[in-house]
Amino acid sequence: SSEVTQDPAVSVALGQTVRIICQGDRLRRHHANWYQQKPGQAPVVVMYGDSNRPSGIPDRFSGSSSGDTASLTITGAQAEDEADYYCNFRESNGNDFVFGPGTKVTVL
Amino acid sequence: QEQLVQSETEVKKPGASVKVSCKASGYAFSGYYMNWVRQAPGQGLEWMGWINPNTGGTHFAQRFQGRVTVTADTSMDTAYMDLDNLRPGDTAIYYCARFRGYSSGGIFSWYFDLWGRGTLITVSS
């Protein structure tokens, strides 16, 4: 299986910008999806296919990918953005799926 | 309104089995693969496997093969996940999550677009 890494935790001042990174060799060939999970709640997709934002997700969320790194950026972070964020992608065998270890985002 | 409603919390003893249900509503159940994802207390998300409700075809992560069974009853719009020979390390919230396919840059892939609220399974003697 692939090794995928994320920073365990990042913090951002209210209204500022934060970039969350997901790194893994498989990301060179597969798109990344991103999920937001707040305490006690199920995950919610906030980005798919590297840079596609689902309906209902604020446009302060954006995504990109280059080489072995996928990024989720929150521009103008709000208090409600405080959550765990997980990247996810398809394994090279096409049938398995992987989640990154998650990044805890704290909004100061 | 599309939703997935899961069965309630259960407490099981080591060695026992558990069956978690996931009832879909608001969409064509047979038309979308269903996944199972678990999350141990304070830990991250772990993908377990998927089922194609239309064909009954399944695929599981290697670490769960032989111990997990996933079925789908299309007449009830419900997916089920059975986990056998439970261990304390299986204590987790188990989520069902629907696959949605997409094509981007010529690559077809999937993401989990609809999630159940989760079922807490506690394994303790």
Side-chain angles (χ1 to χ4, degrees), chain A residues 29-33 35 37 40-45 47-50 52 54 84 86 88 90 93-101, chain B residues 35 37 39 43-47 50 59-62 95 99 102-118:
Chain A
R29 289 176 290 279
H30 295 279
H31 296 301
N33 310 309
Y35 303 86
Q37 186 180 34
Q41 298 184 20
V44 173
V45 61
M47 200 66 57
Y48 69 92
D50 294 333
N52 298 283
D84 295 325
Y86 296 92
N88 146 253
R90 194 174 185 177
N93 66 12
N95 287 317
D96 288 6
F97 291 81
V98 175
F99 285 96
Chain B
N35 291 261
V37 176
Q39 186 171 37
Q43 302 300 308
L45 302 170
E46 180 178 28
W47 175 79
W50 53 251
H59 179 75
F60 306 110
Q62 187 170 13
Y95 295 99
F99 257 161
Y102 67 93
S103 181
S104 179
I107 299 173
F108 186 82
S109 192
W110 309 86
Y111 67 100
F112 307 107
D113 75 324
L114 181 67
W115 294 69
R117 294 181 70 175

Side-chain angles (χ1 to χ4, degrees), chain A residues 38-60:
Chain A
K38 297 180 180 179
Q41 298 184 20
V44 173
V45 61
V46 295
M47 200 66 57
Y48 69 92
D50 294 333
S51 58
N52 298 283
R53 195 172 53 247
S55 173
I57 301 302
D59 60 7
R60 62 179 179 271

Side-chain angles (χ1 to χ4, degrees), chain B residues 9 30 78:
Chain B
T9 294
S30 295
T78 301

Side-chain angles (χ1 to χ4, degrees), chain B residues 77-97:
Chain B
D77 291 343
T78 301
Y80 302 92
M81 190 277 298
D82 287 85
L83 188 59
D84 299 327
N85 192 19
L86 289 166
R87 310 153 187 166
D90 292 319
T91 294
I93 297 173
Y94 289 77
Y95 295 99
C96 57

Side-chain angles (χ1 to χ4, degrees), chain B residues 16-105:
Chain B
S17 298
V18 69
K19 189 181 192 98
V20 180
S21 67
C22 171
K23 182 172 176 57
S25 62
Y27 74 94
F29 175 70
S30 295
Y32 297 84
Y33 285 40
M34 189 70 75
N35 291 261
W36 291 90
V37 176
R38 76 177 187 179
Q39 186 171 37
Q43 302 300 308
L45 302 170
E46 180 178 28
W47 175 79
M48 299 178 68
W50 53 251
I51 183 168
N52 177 346
N54 193 42
T55 66
T58 57
H59 179 75
F60 306 110
Q62 187 170 13
R63 66 173 294 181
F64 296 107
Q65 289 178 11
R67 209 160 65 92
V68 66
T69 304
V70 174
T71 55
D73 182 341
T74 55
S75 68
M76 298 292 290
D77 291 343
T78 301
Y80 302 92
M81 190 277 298
D82 287 85
L83 188 59
D84 299 327
N85 192 19
L86 289 166
R87 310 153 187 166
D90 292 319
T91 294
I93 297 173
Y94 289 77
Y95 295 99
C96 57
R98 185 181 72 178
F99 257 161
R100 180 173 289 274
Y102 67 93
S103 181
S104 179

